[in-house]
Amino acid sequence: MTGQPFAGVYPAMCTPFQDDGSIDFETLRADARRLEDAGVDGLVPMGSTGESATVSHDEHVEVIEAVLEAVDVPVIAGSGSNNTDEALSLSRRAAAAGADALLLISPYYNKPEQRGFLEHYRTIADAVDVPQIVYNVPSRTGQNIDAETVIELAGHENIRGFKAASGDLNQVSQVVEGTRDEEFAVLSGNDGETLPILSVGGTGCISVAANVEPARMVALVEAAREGDYERARAVHHDLGPLFRALFWETNPIPVKAAMEIRGYGPGRLRPPLTAMTAENRERLAAVLARYEDPLAVDGGQ
């Protein structure tokens, strides 16, 4: 990857499962091509939205390989774990499969100290020579990666980005400020915060909503990066109901329901996740109906 690392829209892909619980690779490849055709800048298989916590290591790599085979855009493979040795193994296997970059969620449940984060990420970055993105989502992991820790990690030649999903714009701004002299990207990890993060110097997003409305997410990010904040705000507010609906229940429950409603793939989830409630699914279908007009990509103006 050359130039500005990780700029634009990167859907955090869903993993489709067949009725017997096995991975539906045909649908996975078709979905990757659909997203590529919509103009996204890359794809992110095997993140939290891809239900990486419920697949085997072999399945994990097979999903990455299938997406790589299907598209020509960059593929950022999720390869994180709360076990450093496991994350290192997954990262090596993803890199060997041909992944263009890696997305590494911070160790969850363990709740390491900041020095533990530094050691974890440096261990992987020292051993695997592909660009890597540090992923901070304390609502899932139980521990925040401090801005100072991210800034220190940005000095490593292989650590080239930060996925911000803490909800703390001050922290994001501090990371942008502290990495301005590095070839380092700050990406939104929460769709509703993409525009604010772009406004303080972020470069794009790793997006759940882009699975459902990729062209609109591309329009939002492109407008902001071009300095057209009037248009970016219009698209942002147009997408607001979808951003909220996709988190009525735990991600990826709503987005997989939305994908099924749209005909993009099966909505089956692996336990312990369960199907969206009938009431919320009906409400979600009503939200999706708002986006049937392709002209609304311009913010409904």
Side-chain angles (χ1 to χ4, degrees), residues 22-300:
S22 62
I23 295 170
D24 183 344
F25 286 102
E26 182 178 352
T27 297
L28 176 68
R29 293 185 186 94
D31 194 49
R33 289 190 289 268
R34 173 183 67 86
L35 294 168
E36 180 181 36
D37 290 345
V40 302
D41 298 277
L43 297 172
V44 184
M46 283 290 97
S48 303
T49 307
E51 297 175 77
S52 59
T54 60
V55 302
S56 70
H57 287 193
D58 286 345
E59 287 176 321
H60 192 114
V61 177
E62 288 166 0
V63 166
I64 294 166
E65 289 174 338
V67 174
L68 283 163
E69 291 166 2
V71 298
D72 293 323
V73 293
V75 174
I76 303 171
S79 61
S81 171
N82 68 327
N83 176 331
T84 301
D85 286 344
E86 186 173 278
L88 178 57
S89 174
L90 284 170
S91 296
R92 282 175 165 152
R93 292 184 68 180
D100 297 279
L102 305 175
L103 175 67
L104 292 147
I105 194 168
S106 65
Y108 41 86
Y109 187 78
N110 310 61
K111 297 183 70 174
E113 300 297 330
Q114 297 303 309
R115 62 182 180 274
F117 288 132
L118 289 168
E119 182 175 331
H120 174 82
Y121 283 108
R122 284 171 174 162
T123 295
I124 299 165
D126 285 345
V128 185
D129 190 22
V130 297
Q132 295 164 33
I133 299 172
V134 173
Y135 177 16
N136 186 38
V137 56
S139 64
R140 281 188 179 265
T141 65
Q143 189 82 319
N144 184 60
I145 308 176
D146 291 346
E148 293 85 358
T149 301
V150 179
I151 292 166
E152 189 170 345
L153 287 170
H156 195 292
E157 62 182 359
N158 283 333
I159 299 177
R160 301 273 53 90
F162 177 57
K163 179 183 176 183
S166 69
D168 185 346
L169 190 60
N170 286 327
Q171 179 189 22
V172 175
S173 184
Q174 186 178 347
V175 171
V176 172
E177 178 185 341
T179 58
R180 286 179 296 176
D181 295 331
E182 306 284 351
E183 188 179 340
F184 192 79
V186 176
L187 299 160
S188 170
N190 291 331
D191 286 312
E193 296 162 16
T194 295
L195 181 56
I197 287 174
L198 288 164
S199 76
V200 298
T203 59
C205 60
I206 295 177
S207 169
V208 176
N211 285 292
V212 184
E213 288 293 334
R216 286 178 170 83
M217 286 303 300
V218 168
L220 190 163
V221 172
E222 285 185 348
R225 287 177 55 80
E226 292 167 2
D228 186 352
Y229 277 92
E230 182 176 359
R231 179 167 183 257
R233 281 192 298 271
V235 181
H236 166 83
H237 290 303
D238 185 47
L239 285 169
L242 178 64
F243 294 161
R244 293 185 289 274
L246 292 180
F247 285 84
W248 283 340
E249 297 183 21
T250 301
N251 180 52
I253 294 172
V255 70
K256 291 199 87 170
M259 296 279 281
E260 187 171 57
I261 290 168
R262 283 282 181 87
Y264 299 150
R268 168 180 281 276
L269 301 115
R270 279 192 175 172
L273 295 181
T274 53
M276 197 173 202
T277 66
E279 179 183 1
N280 279 341
R281 185 182 173 99
E282 185 176 347
R283 293 169 63 210
L284 176 62
V287 171
L288 293 173
R290 296 170 55 101
Y291 306 102
E292 291 176 355
D293 181 1
L295 296 178
V297 74
D298 291 320

